[in-house]
Amino acid sequence: MRHFGHIAPEVRERLFHEEPSAFTADSGARMLAAALGATLYSPATRPHLADDVLKQAGRGVVSMVLCLEDSIDDAEVSGAEDNLVRQFTDLAAREVEPPLLFVRVRVPEQITDLVRRLGPAARLLSGFVLPKFTEERGVPFLEALTAAEAAAGRRLFAMPVLESPELLHLDTRAETLDGISRTVDKYRDRVLALRLGVTDFCSAYGLRRPPDMTAYDVQIVASVIGDVVNLLGRADGTGFTVTGPVWEYFRHQERMFKPQLRRSPFLEEGAEPLREALIQHDMDGLLREIELDRANGLLGKTCIHPSHVLPVHALSVVSHEEYSDARDILRPERGGGGVLRSAYTNKMNEVKPHRAWAERTLQRAEAFGVAREDVGFVELLAAGLPG
């Protein structure tokens, strides 16, 4: 699989200076963590889940979470587990490559039980999403994952969700973060990425951000995102990939504020209708939040609607300017540091302070590709739209 692999090769050639790299579920953890992109959640109760998975793969989805937790009613759990086993068995029989598939569980026992029940179909499983993760609650999940991995005879990853009130509340945040850090460091080889549960953070204070505001406009949420990245997202080799929070909206809502999507990127002939469509579906707020995610050290995003996938991926592509700067900074002859003018002659590149940024940029380029010099996110969005 590869990002933008669902569009025609000749279109990719026109869009990309360097195309996204291909990868499989067995690729290295570093590549998979960078390539998660828009991770699409789906309730495990869907009766045609196998068909849904392949349909979304055909539209560019490369990672999905099949949910047994908050997205379904408590009374539906047993039936959802049965359905999950049936749908995985169906997928395995089709002998096609699905996206990276994770299951969000409620309790540790579900991990070992599901892997046992899946049998040979467990080869399609990339891992599990662990809810409300803290040191106390997380260790049993990770121990169960270790046992399931041994039973399945294949690598299984964990994606802990950081969403507990203890993490949000100021009086318990530092202690909770320290405990999470100890736990994920101990199981580092099995932790693919850390996910942020911003909806639960808002719930603790009876809040819900409107579609014309981002998570970063809710100060109590922004503060915990900053602290999570501060401790767990460091670029010194100790950090993890931290993914962006879910965007909840996908239908037009009455607006209080002006649209946030500038006209200038859409000035090309025929592009204005795309801008209007994005605004009508509250996508301008999503686009702004994606940009703020990356500016705050996050990569990838939790998604609950297929329409959110393409914007996440289009804005994850490395621009030709970013790529040029990153390559210049990382040239071997620059190992001693120094300052140089950008090839685009619009900024200063300081080699030592910008090195970690450059390394992360090239990692993102490997997963999402590098756009041609005259290609922006509008062209990437338009090329990926169905029909």
Side-chain angles (χ1 to χ4, degrees), residues 208-218 247-249 251-261 279 281-289 292:
R208 186 174 192 179
R209 69 187 190 276
D212 44 11
M213 291 188 182
T214 72
Y216 302 93
D217 294 313
V218 183
W247 182 259
E248 298 178 349
Y249 296 96
R251 294 187 186 277
H252 178 61
Q253 309 286 327
E254 184 178 357
R255 288 182 172 274
M256 181 177 296
F257 300 108
K258 289 182 179 180
Q260 303 175 77
L261 202 55
I279 292 170
H281 290 83
D282 292 316
M283 293 294 186
D284 53 323
L286 169 63
L287 293 173
R288 176 168 171 76
E289 186 166 284
L292 288 170

Side-chain angles (χ1 to χ4, degrees), residues 222 236 360:
D236 60 1
R360 286 190 168 185

Side-chain angles (χ1 to χ4, degrees), residues 4 8 13 19 53 55 71 77 99 147 152 156 160-161 171 176 186 190 201 211 218 241 247 255 279 342 355 358 380:
F4 297 93
E13 185 177 357
E19 291 193 21
V53 166
K55 178 181 178 181
S71 69
V77 174
L156 294 171
V161 186
D171 54 330
T176 303
K186 179 180 178 181
R190 291 185 172 85
F201 290 156
V218 183
T241 294
W247 182 259
R255 288 182 172 274
I279 292 170
S342 166
R355 178 171 293 275
L380 293 162

Side-chain angles (χ1 to χ4, degrees), residues 329-340 350-353 355:
I329 290 165
L330 294 176
R331 290 187 189 281
E333 62 268 26
R334 300 292 182 185
V339 177
L340 58 150
E350 194 168 352
V351 173
K352 288 184 178 179
R355 178 171 293 275

